[in-house]
Amino acid sequence: DKEMKLKETRDNLLLDIIRGRQSKGLSMVEAAKGAGISQPNWSRIENGVQHATLDTLIDMAKAVGIEVSIAYE
């Protein structure tokens, strides 16, 4: 089902963002600044308390050095 696949993709992207932030040694403050969001919002997204838009996830990914490409089927 497409909704389940989208959720799985978003979850996987978020895990990669978390790993990317940690591997680069970035604090949430530093990463959030790079993504143009507040540290509390970053924390809520990273901890699964708040859902992020696709645009926000892409900004977060860029902030930790992950290039995101989107393909439609």
Side-chain angles (χ1 to χ4, degrees):
D1 155 86
K2 287 186 180 184
E3 278 188 43
M4 191 64 119
K5 186 174 181 180
L6 179 59
K7 182 185 179 331
E8 183 180 320
T9 300
R10 292 169 73 105
D11 290 348
N12 288 338
L13 177 55
L14 183 55
L15 286 173
D16 286 345
I17 289 167
I18 294 167
R19 289 184 192 118
R21 181 182 69 76
Q22 292 171 341
S23 73
K24 291 194 177 295
L26 295 173
S27 69
M28 285 188 189
V29 171
E30 294 166 320
K33 184 176 180 181
I37 64 174
S38 70
Q39 182 277 325
N41 279 347
W42 184 290
S43 178
R44 286 191 289 268
I45 294 165
E46 194 170 291
N47 290 301
V49 175
Q50 176 179 320
H51 294 289
T53 64
L54 184 56
D55 285 340
T56 298
L57 286 174
I58 291 169
D59 290 341
M60 291 173 74
K62 287 179 185 176
V64 300
I66 297 171
E67 186 175 323
V68 177
S69 62
I70 299 172
Y72 291 93
E73 294 180 20

